[in-house]
Amino acid sequence: MADKKKEIKKHYISRSESRRIAKENSKAIAKFQKMKKRKARPEEYVTQMKDDNNIVEFEDLHTYFFSDSGTVKAVNGVTFSIPAGSTVGVVGESGCGKSVTSLSLMQLVQAPSGQIVSGSIRFRADMFKRDNLGRKIPVYETETNPNGETFRKVDAKGKPIIRKNELGGNMYEMERQVVDIAKMPAEAMRSIRGREVAMIFQEPMTSLNPVFTIGNQLDEVGKLHIEGISKADVKARSIEMLKLVGIADPEGVYKKYPHELSGGMRQRVMIAIALLCNPKLIVADEPTTALDVTIQAQILDLLREIKTKINGSIMLITHDLGVVAEMADYVVVMYAGKVIEMGTAEDIFDRPLHPYTIGLQKSKPTVDQKVDELYCIPGFVPNPIDMPDYCYFRDRCDKCMEKCSGEYPNLIKVSDTHSVSCYLYEGKAEVKNG
């Protein structure tokens, strides 16, 4: 009885303890909010890639939520990369940190309670060149006279004419830079989010505004990110995107409201919004959830086709291993805020190593096997406010050994492409650095 009371008490905190936590939280939140709102010079967040073949590199990323009960370590030291032109699938149970990792990349973690605490998110972006006053440098239309001298073209009012880009907006001088999104102020991030990296959210009806038409919401993206574009051009661009995602009546859908569309159509509109500015990276958070299998297949085919057209990369967040097997070039398996295994799709599906990855695959139904009951990984995820020092999967693992009660296992590289965080493979390969 005494042990039971002690166990119950462990899940509650006193009023004084709650006040102490709230005081510490307010200090921490104020510090991080100040960092996001600061006016920073580019030198403070411009960095370099460890591998020039990558479009994104996550390194030791920590994203926490400061609650009255304690600090929830939703992402707790995540490190992986997304190679340019590839699709990387991030899988795991609900609550493992997949979506929070993607929201950290977009700087859309729910503030003020949610904050990127430490780590790096290096992203290769085309940034606007600035003059000494911090203004964007336009590219002007030019003409050459009979003497071979080049002059800027001017309009009827004598103003130089700015050249138009492929999207119909003003053209500016650009330079390719690697920026650390985790260190960028919110103001600088706005020039990247939606233009260089875009997100397809999990539930279209919570992302689309019910009181605005589809066209209005598409046009908003164009007006925000394509400076100098005319109303006619932005509408034409929006309708072009609706055609690209396979909507049969783009002009009609442009005038409709979200509730007038089916679930599959709304998801296509979300993809059209994400693609409007030709981003280098698309973050797709459960893009096929709640859709029937026929529409799921169409959406996945669409994503594959678009990735080829724009020569971009996809970060695919899902818990559906079938989707990952069909779409991904590389797979990252997450558990309780950490990466526990990663490799090529072939590595993860043909040669899974971590007991958790094996359990995930066993829990998926197959058409060629008849079973009375689907496999379920036993036990529960540890409390995210009070994570243990040992392997987070230890209490659910059927291959657990004495060493698993020690410190959390390092990520072990078992081949050039395959890494796993488990003591079962210690000594069989060198420990991966960083």
Side-chain angles (χ1 to χ4, degrees), residues 59-132:
E59 184 174 5
D60 197 27
L61 178 67
H62 292 75
T63 302
Y64 297 168
F65 290 89
F66 297 94
S67 74
D68 290 341
S69 302
T71 302
V72 178
K73 298 179 179 179
V75 174
N76 193 15
V78 163
T79 300
F80 69 92
S81 303
I82 300 177
S86 67
T87 298
V88 174
V90 183
V91 300
E93 293 172 303
S94 295
C96 71
K98 308 184 300 292
S99 292
V100 177
T101 301
S102 65
L103 291 171
S104 300
L105 170 61
M106 300 295 294
Q107 267 200 21
L108 289 176
V109 179
Q110 187 65 52
S113 61
Q115 300 287 343
I116 298 174
V117 173
S118 63
S120 298
I121 307 172
R122 295 184 288 272
F123 176 69
R124 189 185 306 284
D126 287 331
M127 304 292 286
F128 293 106
K129 279 189 178 180
R130 305 275 177 171
D131 60 20
N132 294 333

Side-chain angles (χ1 to χ4, degrees), residues 187-200:
E187 186 64 33
M189 183 63 196
R190 289 192 190 101
S191 69
I192 291 178
R193 190 196 302 121
R195 182 177 64 86
E196 293 285 291
V197 54
M199 190 166 185
I200 303 166

